[in-house]
Amino acid sequence: MALKSPLYRNGPLVSRLGLGTVKIGRNQGVKYPQGFDLPGDDAVLDLLRTAHALGINLLDTAPAYGLSEARLGYLLPQLGLAREDWVIVSKAGEWFENGISRFDFSAAAIRASVVASLEKLRLEYLDAVLLHSDGIDEAGERFMPALQALDALKAEGLIRATGFSGKTLAGNLQFADCADLLMLTYNSTEMDQLPAIEAAAARGKAVLLKKALASGHAANPDTALRQALAVPGVTAAVVGSLNPAHLRANAQAAGLTAGDVR
């Protein structure tokens, strides 16, 4: 089944496979097995057209992904598609500048980040914004001002849902209660987040997987993706790619067929 559940309660249905866009904006400080050059505009347009043709409607980006938001904002309108054809998720709390990451979870920084993301993406609203954890997320109370800022932006209609992209089980379990969705790591060698997936599912909340292919290190990507998506409670897996052929293979493994999200 290509569509599992909404991104948030009464929200848009998302494809089982989402396209991660870090590789279109950042090639420094990443954990992929091989280095790569940032693709040109034509290559990104080809990738986005391929995603749309395969029924992929979920796009994942972030300020920490370098030029990703700005490039999507420039290139997506060139496809001539409706805003509703895409479910666009970004993040807040982390920025990547001059080769290093910096973090700021103050309410003012979160608001400024979301406003900047909307400007770069040339959007009136984001489908979801996730707090981009710095890894110290078990001390969840330190994120509360940031989550409250996201709640305020949601009330204003600038974002449709709030989320948490965490790194520890304790943090993800806490945010399963207070955010609309979670993004977490799960693959065949990193399965410790299963209780957080179960907790989110019990509360009727979506779970997006990151690193389902172990950042490109999975020995058999098709098998790894199928196994990750077979976990009860998983809504979608977000996988980055610059190669349309790889994207097609991932879509096939995820059970997508053209037109599934139309």
Side-chain angles (χ1 to χ4, degrees):
M1 186 175 180
L3 295 175
K4 183 175 174 66
S5 64
L7 182 67
Y8 50 88
R9 191 162 293 149
N10 299 320
L13 295 175
V14 295
S15 49
R16 294 278 277 159
L17 179 68
L19 177 61
T21 63
V22 62
K23 289 183 176 180
I24 73 169
R26 172 179 166 183
N27 58 5
Q28 295 177 292
V30 291
K31 299 179 180 179
Y32 301 108
Q34 296 180 333
F36 58 94
D37 295 326
L38 295 182
D41 288 352
D42 288 345
V44 177
L45 285 168
D46 187 33
L47 191 70
L48 292 170
R49 288 192 188 98
T50 300
H52 182 260
L54 291 168
I56 296 169
N57 69 339
L58 175 61
L59 298 179
D60 175 72
T61 185
Y65 295 171
L67 301 173
S68 174
E69 289 182 318
R71 298 195 75 189
L72 288 174
Y74 170 66
L75 294 171
L76 282 174
Q78 298 182 35
L79 299 178
L81 300 171
R83 169 65 179 88
E84 293 73 22
D85 284 329
W86 303 106
V87 177
I88 301 177
V89 175
S90 191
K91 304 177 187 71
E94 179 183 358
W95 293 260
F96 186 78
E97 299 170 332
N98 301 318
I100 59 171
S101 284
R102 64 178 182 89
F103 296 88
D104 188 340
F105 298 103
S106 67
I110 296 303
R111 174 173 285 274
S113 177
V114 172
V115 170
S117 291
L118 289 168
E119 291 176 353
K120 290 177 182 176
L121 287 160
R122 306 184 189 187
L123 297 176
E124 295 183 356
Y125 69 90
L126 281 157
D127 292 284
V129 173
L130 318 179
L131 296 180
H132 213 165
S133 171
D134 57 359
I136 317 173
D137 53 13
E138 61 272 20
E141 67 279 357
R142 62 194 282 268
F143 292 104
M144 287 304 110
L147 184 60
Q148 291 167 0
L150 290 184
D151 284 336
L153 290 160
K154 179 180 171 182
E156 294 170 31
L158 296 179
I159 68 177
R160 298 290 170 85
T162 67
F164 187 66
S165 179
K167 297 183 181 180
T168 72
L169 178 59
N172 287 324
L173 285 172
Q174 177 168 342
F175 279 89
D177 282 324
C178 52
D180 295 321
L181 65 146
L182 296 180
M183 174 177 270
L184 50 81
T185 296
Y186 188 90
N187 57 59
S188 60
T189 60
E190 297 174 281
M191 296 185 288
D192 61 309
Q193 299 294 324
L194 183 58
I197 297 174
E198 294 170 341
R203 292 158 176 78
K205 298 185 178 181
V207 173
L208 306 180
L209 297 187
K210 54 186 175 181
K211 302 182 181 178
L213 304 185
S215 297
H217 294 273
N220 188 321
D222 287 358
T223 299
L225 190 54
R226 288 192 184 98
Q227 290 177 342
L229 287 171
V231 176
V234 169
T235 304
V238 173
V239 180
S241 179
L242 294 178
N243 186 320
H246 291 169
L247 189 60
R248 293 187 189 96
N250 291 339
Q252 183 175 14
L256 280 171
T257 57
D260 277 334
V261 295
R262 308 291 177 258

